[in-house]
Amino acid sequence: MSFVEYGETIKDGDTAIVFLGHESMFPVKVQHGTVTQTKYGVIRHSTDLIGKKYGSKVTCSKGGWVFILHPTPELWTMNLPHRTQILYSTDISIITMMLELKPGSVVCESGTGSGSLSHALIRTVAPTGHLYTVEFHQQRAEKAREEFREHGVEHLVTVTNQDVCKNGFGVSNIADAVFLDIPSPWEAIGHAKSALKAEGGRICSFSPCIEQVQRTCLAMEEYGFTEINTLEILLRVYNVRTISLQIPDLGKAAEDNSSTGFDSSNPSNQGSLCANLQQGTVQFKSGVPQREMVGHTGYLTFATKS
């Protein structure tokens, strides 16, 4: 099992996603002799998981069933254990596009945090690229190394435990892109410039406060970055529902029907006409935004090394 390569069958030691529904799923480490409790009953790893195909429908001990899904960066973002606040798919998608990442790209990241963005970056640059990720907190760095090893991507990532504002990324003139998610990104702009390749490298900084953005932009200008711009990405979810609206009165029914080729002499058409007039309403599907939505998450500031 690897987060960047698809495996057909579930093996001992894999990380799998137990899917109970769109709003209910969780990761599980598959181990011989282990059981997992769900609201539908027990899942026995030895008999119910190991050797089965990913995507299989597994019946639990109480008769209910779940699906076992192959892990992806998107599913991991939705289910990972939070060690820090994380980036979600809305921001991750624009980051990977605006940094112009592709297979073979070299990326520097700080900080690693819970690894949500890290997994997406690794999948994007695989199989020949590399991610250099820096985490200030020692325990979080060690946990990230462990997860990357369990997820089969350790050969694509280097985790370093140090202060990026003081010590940089540990590499020079090789990165195609740099991403910063730290409290004071302006203090790391110089190190980011040193890590980027000679010309044309891209940088992105994520900050929740506009004051952080202002100081970061000033630092980018000071170090010669160009094409500086800041975005805020907001996700708006719509609910699809059936609504009923009253039919408007546009005049005599006979006149309307004759203008549209309606044959009122046909008995079947007369019946449907009477039914519609008596009902007086029509039903159709409509999309409406939710009354509450996730608001501000943060600002994304992009720039290019001149």
Side-chain angles (χ1 to χ4, degrees):
M1 183 278 306
S2 172
F3 274 52
V4 297
E5 298 176 358
Y6 182 76
E8 187 172 353
T9 59
I10 305 171
K11 299 180 177 61
D12 189 14
D14 282 2
T15 297
I17 305 297
V18 179
F19 181 88
L20 293 83
H22 290 290
E23 302 296 330
S24 180
M25 63 184 90
F26 60 89
V28 61
K29 184 175 181 179
V30 180
Q31 293 179 308
H32 185 78
T34 303
V35 298
T36 296
Q37 295 283 351
T38 74
K39 63 181 180 180
Y40 301 124
V42 172
I43 301 174
R44 295 174 175 83
H45 293 199
S46 300
T47 57
D48 297 333
L49 299 183
I50 297 176
K52 300 292 182 63
K53 289 187 177 182
Y54 279 107
S56 297
K57 183 177 180 180
V58 174
T59 302
C60 304
S61 61
K62 294 182 180 179
W65 48 266
V66 298
F67 287 104
I68 308 299
L69 306 182
H70 193 284
T72 64
E74 291 81 7
L75 289 175
W76 186 245
T77 291
M78 298 170 63
N79 296 281
L80 59 79
H82 286 224
R83 299 183 289 273
T84 60
Q85 182 59 265
I86 70 169
L87 289 176
Y88 290 91
S89 298
T90 308
D91 289 313
I92 292 173
S93 60
I94 197 71
I95 289 170
T96 55
M97 183 189 77
M98 294 293 288
L99 289 182
E100 302 173 3
L101 301 182
K102 59 186 181 297
S105 296
V106 176
V107 186
C108 292
E109 174 197 26
S110 183
T112 312
S114 301
S116 173
L117 176 65
S118 303
H119 282 82
L121 294 177
I122 291 170
R123 197 262 306 274
T124 303
V125 305
T128 57
H130 201 82
L131 171 67
Y132 295 90
T133 182
V134 178
E135 173 57 51
F136 175 78
H137 193 276
Q138 182 178 359
Q139 291 180 335
R140 288 201 292 263
E142 292 174 353
K143 186 61 179 177
R145 288 194 192 96
E146 179 185 342
E147 286 181 348
F148 293 143
R149 184 169 56 254
E150 291 179 351
H151 298 166
V153 296
E154 71 276 9
H155 61 293
L156 297 170
V157 56
T158 299
V159 182
T160 305
N161 173 219
Q162 65 187 28
D163 186 350
V164 70
C165 296
K166 295 180 180 179
N167 307 114
F169 294 93
V171 297
S172 299
N173 302 318
I174 65 169
D176 297 287
V178 170
F179 177 79
L180 298 173
D181 183 6
I182 54 178
S184 52
W186 55 89
E187 296 181 1
I189 299 300
H191 294 298
K193 183 177 181 180
S194 299
L196 286 168
K197 59 186 181 182
E199 186 176 358
R202 295 279 286 167
I203 184 174
C204 174
S205 174
F206 176 89
S207 296
C209 302
I210 194 64
E211 291 81 8
Q212 293 170 304
V213 174
Q214 292 171 332
R215 296 189 64 176
T216 302
C217 289
L218 291 174
M220 288 179 175
E221 289 182 346
E222 180 182 349
Y223 281 95
F225 283 90
T226 60
E227 299 178 337
I228 302 172
N229 64 89
T230 300
L231 309 175
E232 182 182 16
I233 311 301
L234 298 178
L235 177 65
R236 191 174 190 184
V237 179
Y238 279 75
N239 286 329
V240 178
R241 65 182 186 181
T242 302
I243 65 174
S244 297
L245 289 181
Q246 190 172 10
I247 298 176
D249 184 5
L250 301 178
K252 292 183 179 180
E255 295 176 356
D256 292 342
N257 294 331
S258 62
S259 64
T260 59
F262 186 90
D263 185 6
S264 59
S265 62
N266 189 321
S268 61
N269 287 341
Q270 289 178 351
S272 62
L273 173 62
C274 294
N276 288 334
L277 291 176
Q278 290 176 358
Q279 185 178 8
T281 60
V282 62
Q283 291 186 333
F284 63 93
K285 297 290 185 181
S286 176
V288 294
Q290 294 181 344
R291 293 185 177 181
E292 296 182 0
M293 61 174 280
V294 177
H296 170 75
T297 57
Y299 300 102
L300 294 169
T301 301
F302 296 91
T304 303
K305 183 177 179 179
S306 177

